[in-house]
């Protein structure tokens, strides 16, 4: 077996051009781990934030990549249920931009039947995250109304579909262009607003009542204005900080008067702090893909060597749906 492989890393923070193809040692699985011969890698906004500003980067050089599909290459001691050659999708803490990816067996999932490898690479982050945002954390009930920021993105397109499938009374989105709004409207949204005017548009669309649930990956001023768009007893789930704003603080004035709640979610942190809870969540969420409730929208494929191209599209706010990297030449 070969001992070296191609991977994509950056040595410094900056524009997409800092992503370089390097030759690296093929990793070997330790106890509880497997290695995966990668077929496709899902691209996440967190990868862009890692490259641009060091989000969740411990040290340089850094190899991005949080989700991968492919075949199990080798299995470490103490891994009961996975075997070489098996097709899987995996969530990893980083390092998926590579031909061989090391993963903890608790976040490696046999491929749901009928799912192709490109699509499977987008399964590990988006579907469990959206399921958690709407159900476990957001506690959405049938008939309630939902507002989702970033409605045309990877998370947003699945959130629209899953909210509708959960029987939401109305699903509203926020997106930064007319093209993105049009795309989101095909993925479960009733109406899509701009970031400037969403609080007023929500009031108009709900007859002044506000929405029951806001999903906020933007933070800062958007989060604060999202609270004002909530109905009495409404919930806001914060799950990102795309705006790069200072950490938010919410207290009694915003919460007491109308019984509002603010909650948070991070799939990567859950994978570390409560892997069993993540596994159970993922299994519930994946059923919505196998039963056809949700379609995972892969809109563009780039070779691994052009990870920079994917970052340009996603970081330039011009992508819709999910982007993937094809690992084979
Ligand atoms: N907590 C978790 O477990 C978790 C898991 C996955 C993703 N996330 C978060 O969810 C969000 C979506 O992730 P994704 O990978 O699916 O990416 P994505 O939505 O496909 O792309 C990034 C999104 O961020 C928006 N955006 C970009 N720059 C922005 C800015 N400066 N201010 C406001 N909005 C901006 C864009 O929407 P517009 O151009 O339409 O504004 C776009 O929809 C990200 O913030 C990510 O960090 C969180």
């Amino acid at each position: 077996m070969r001992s070296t492989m191609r991977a994509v890393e950056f040595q410094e923070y900056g524009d997409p051009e800092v992503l370089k193809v390097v030759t690296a040692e093929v990793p070997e699985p330790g106890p509880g781990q497997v290695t995966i011969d990668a077929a496709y890698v899902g691209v996440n906004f967190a990868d862009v934030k890692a490259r641009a500003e060091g989000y969740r980067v411990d040290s340089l050089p850094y190899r991005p990549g949080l989700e991968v599909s492919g075949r199990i290459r080798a299995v470490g001691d103490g891994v009961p249920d996975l075997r070489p050659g098996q097709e899987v999708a995996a969530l990893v803490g980083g390092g998926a931009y590579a031909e061989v990816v090391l993963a903890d067996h608790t976040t490696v999932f046999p491929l749901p039947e009928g799912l192709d490898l490109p699509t499977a690479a987008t399964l590990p982050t988006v579907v469990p995250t959206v399921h958690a945002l709407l159900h476990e954390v957001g506690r959405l009930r049938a008939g309630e109304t939902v507002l989702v920021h970033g409605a045309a993105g990877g998370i947003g397109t699945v959130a629209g579909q899953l909210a509708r499938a959960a029987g939401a009374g109305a699903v509203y989105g926020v997106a930064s262009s007319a093209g993105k709004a049009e795309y989101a409207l095909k993925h479960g949204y009733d109406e899509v607003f701009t970031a400037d005017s969403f609080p007023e548009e929500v009031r108009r669309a709900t007859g002044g009542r506000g929405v029951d649930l806001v999903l906020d990956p933007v933070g800062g001023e958007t989060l604060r204005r999202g609270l004002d768009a909530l109905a009495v007893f409404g919930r806001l789930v914060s799950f990102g900080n795309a705006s790069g704003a200072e950490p938010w603080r919410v207290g009694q004035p915003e919460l007491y008067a109308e019984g509002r709640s603010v909650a948070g979610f991070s799939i990567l942190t859950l994978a570390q702090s409560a892997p069993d809870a993540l596994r159970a969540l993922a299994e519930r969420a994946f059923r919505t893909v196998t039963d056809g409730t949700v379609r995972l929208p892969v809109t563009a494929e780039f070779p691994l060597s052009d990870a920079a191209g994917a970052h340009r599209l996603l970081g330039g706010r011009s992508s819709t749906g999910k982007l993937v990297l094809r690992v084979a030449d």
Side-chain angles (χ1 to χ4, degrees):
M1 271 203 184
R2 64 192 177 149
S3 60
T4 61
M5 64 172 184
R6 287 181 313 134
V8 170
E9 297 182 349
F10 56 84
Q11 289 270 7
E12 57 181 327
Y13 304 124
D15 290 339
E17 289 62 41
V18 299
L19 294 167
K20 305 282 188 216
V21 178
V22 299
T23 301
E25 296 267 301
V26 169
E28 291 297 329
Q33 296 178 321
V34 302
T35 48
I36 297 164
D37 281 320
Y40 290 85
V41 179
V43 180
N44 283 279
F45 192 64
D47 306 348
V48 171
K49 294 271 266 187
R51 186 214 76 227
E53 59 196 56
Y55 171 69
R56 292 183 80 99
V57 176
D58 292 334
S59 60
L60 295 173
Y62 181 78
R63 190 181 303 165
L66 303 173
E67 56 185 348
V68 60
S69 67
R71 289 181 186 77
I72 298 278
R73 176 187 180 88
V75 176
D77 290 339
V79 176
D81 51 355
L82 297 165
R83 54 184 164 69
Q86 195 175 358
E87 285 192 334
V88 293
L91 178 75
V92 294
Y97 286 19
E99 288 178 315
V100 182
V101 177
L102 190 63
D104 192 294
H105 81 97
T106 56
T107 52
V108 178
F109 307 96
L111 227 57
E113 199 152 320
L115 205 63
D116 58 64
L117 285 165
T119 307
T122 73
L123 187 69
T125 60
V126 164
V127 186
T129 297
V130 173
H131 202 282
L133 297 174
L134 290 173
H135 295 293
E136 284 79 4
V137 186
R139 301 184 188 269
L140 179 66
R141 288 173 297 214
E144 290 190 326
T145 48
V146 186
L147 176 76
V148 182
H149 292 277
I155 291 279
T157 32
V158 169
Q161 296 174 67
L162 265 188
R164 180 148 303 285
V171 189
Y172 304 114
V174 177
S176 64
S177 70
K180 285 188 174 189
E182 195 180 321
Y183 185 82
L185 288 168
K186 294 185 187 130
H187 290 86
Y189 291 89
D190 293 292
E191 286 191 62
V192 180
F193 313 132
T194 62
D196 293 345
S197 63
F198 80 85
E200 299 78 42
E201 294 285 11
V202 163
R203 292 282 161 201
R204 175 197 52 75
T206 59
R209 179 181 175 275
V211 287
D212 298 295
L213 179 62
V214 172
L215 304 185
D216 181 84
V218 179
E221 191 59 11
T222 300
L223 184 142
R224 202 193 56 68
R225 294 167 73 219
L227 286 172
D228 290 337
L230 284 176
V232 174
F233 305 145
R235 291 92 61 202
L236 183 149
V237 186
S238 164
F239 67 105
N241 187 25
S243 65
E246 290 296 307
W248 46 269
R249 282 187 179 68
V250 176
Q252 292 174 0
E254 297 91 342
L255 302 182
Y256 274 31
E258 297 191 356
R260 295 165 177 160
S261 314
V262 178
F265 180 76
S266 160
I267 192 168
L268 293 177
T269 314
L270 188 74
Q272 288 161 355
S273 60
D276 291 344
L278 171 65
R279 222 180 149 76
L281 163 67
E283 280 162 10
R284 282 195 294 281
F286 292 167
R287 281 200 285 275
T288 64
V289 176
T290 41
D291 71 12
T293 305
V294 166
R295 279 184 306 112
L296 291 159
V298 176
T299 53
E301 190 178 306
F302 293 78
L304 178 65
S305 56
D306 189 26
H311 276 226
R312 246 175 255 120
L313 197 61
L314 184 57
R317 293 177 84 163
S318 32
S319 66
T320 51
K322 282 289 289 192
L323 310 181
V324 296
L325 305 178
R326 185 181 61 253
V327 177
D329 278 328

